[in-house]
Amino acid sequence: MGQTDIKARLFVDAPLADGAIIELPSDQMHYLLTVLRLGVGALIAVFNGADGEFAAVISQAAKKQCSITIGAQRREQVYCRDLWLLFAPVKKARLDFIAQKASELGVRVIWPVRTDYCQISRVNDDRLAANAIEAAEQTERLDIAEIWPFTGLDEALASCEDDRLLIWCDEASAGHPSLNITAALAAAPPHDKAAILIGPEGGFSAAERAYLQARNNCLKISLGPRILRADTAAISALSCYQSICGDWQS
Ligand code: SAM
């Protein structure tokens, strides 16, 4: 079966194996049958974040029911590099944007963290997860970025293992050529795990700065001469990381 036969690519929350029959939820049924105007016999690709990607055929398309029958495996499961994005959450649309783009850029974990100057008190994890799934469907990604619950920065940093390179995007370092992210990452120690940390609109507090300065395996970096909004900073840092240390090399 050629790539051109595949009319859509969907995440399904079910085990995948040749011959399995899966009933789709109403939103996916609507997407396939009404938005894409597909019918019985149409070929799609499905993945579940764990079993790789499979071909599937729409085997039933009734008024209130749509089932697919799983065919052969197309790709074996692979996972994105062990890269986390820790960030102080921003308001709705820009938060969605961060989750989508971080997922497209291949982070394994999206972790909203509460910092001293963070203005947001609640995060809708389900909404972030929906963004991560949609991004995985579009980008041919086989795993889904995990959404970890909104946590205090100190607790999140305590969970970062000693061998995880922490890339601290520090607005106070903006424009310092010696802290430029590209040079810093090119000279970074070899590592298998990394986390990028982005602060809130108000930046990091003095106490947070002192803690981060003293932390081992923490790379303080500048994202150039301008102060970027948090969402721009996150995408910029992730792009630089993937280009210099990550999977843009492969
Ligand atoms: N209110 C802060 C100020 O005026 O200095 C700016 C905070 S900025 C909107 C939000 C976050 O983006 C910062 O905490 C930092 O993590 C990151 N950031 C933005 N511009 C940056 C730059 N040029 N270098 C490093 N990090 C930057």
Side-chain angles (χ1 to χ4, degrees):
M1 182 169 52
Q3 178 71 36
T4 48
D5 299 324
I6 298 289
K7 304 294 184 206
R9 184 172 186 269
L10 291 185
F11 170 80
V12 290
D13 192 9
L16 295 176
D18 198 342
I21 296 176
I22 298 171
E23 193 175 320
L24 296 180
S26 55
D27 57 334
Q28 289 186 327
M29 170 174 161
H30 174 77
Y31 175 65
L32 292 183
L33 304 186
T34 309
V35 179
L36 297 185
R37 298 183 171 277
L38 301 178
V40 169
L43 290 174
I44 63 169
V46 292
F47 67 108
N48 65 0
D51 295 331
E53 184 180 270
F54 283 72
V57 62
I58 299 179
S59 46
Q60 192 195 8
K63 219 173 183 186
K64 289 195 171 160
Q65 204 178 9
C66 177
S67 305
I68 55 172
T69 301
I70 307 302
Q73 190 181 45
R74 288 163 51 85
R75 287 197 286 158
E76 288 195 2
Q77 181 66 32
V78 287
Y79 293 90
C80 285
R81 196 181 162 85
D82 193 351
L83 172 63
W84 299 356
L85 174 66
L86 274 60
F87 66 105
V90 288
K91 286 192 184 143
K92 266 189 188 163
R94 291 171 53 226
L95 186 58
D96 287 344
F97 180 80
I98 291 177
Q100 281 162 18
K101 302 305 159 198
S103 188
E104 286 179 38
L105 287 164
V107 302
R108 198 181 283 186
V109 168
I110 296 174
W111 199 354
V113 292
R114 188 177 303 103
T115 63
D116 289 344
Y117 299 153
C118 178
Q119 299 291 316
I120 301 289
S121 55
R122 288 184 55 210
V123 173
N124 183 337
D125 290 356
D126 290 344
R127 197 178 156 123
L128 291 188
N131 278 294
I133 288 173
E134 198 181 310
E137 286 175 334
Q138 281 168 8
T139 54
E140 302 282 318
R141 189 178 163 155
L142 286 170
D143 61 337
I144 304 290
E146 293 175 32
I147 309 296
W148 286 6
F150 192 24
T151 307
L153 177 63
D154 46 356
E155 203 185 315
L157 292 178
S159 305
C160 280
E161 315 88 320
D162 291 343
D163 58 345
R164 184 174 296 280
L165 180 69
L166 178 66
I167 300 156
W168 169 27
C169 298
D170 173 30
E171 68 278 358
S173 298
H176 285 249
S178 62
L179 298 175
N180 181 287
I181 187 169
T182 47
L185 288 178
H191 58 279
D192 293 325
K193 309 170 185 177
I196 289 173
L197 173 62
I198 304 289
E201 293 307 316
F204 292 99
S205 69
E208 288 166 342
R209 302 182 58 73
Y211 180 81
L212 286 161
Q213 295 272 16
R215 199 186 149 92
N216 283 335
N217 216 8
C218 178
L219 199 61
K220 180 169 77 166
I221 61 91
S222 155
L223 292 168
R226 291 167 292 279
I227 301 292
L228 308 175
R229 292 185 78 166
D231 45 349
T232 318
I235 310 315
S236 305
L238 286 169
S239 305
C240 289
Y241 182 86
Q242 291 293 36
S243 160
I244 296 163
C245 304
D247 62 12
W248 290 9
Q249 296 283 343
S250 53

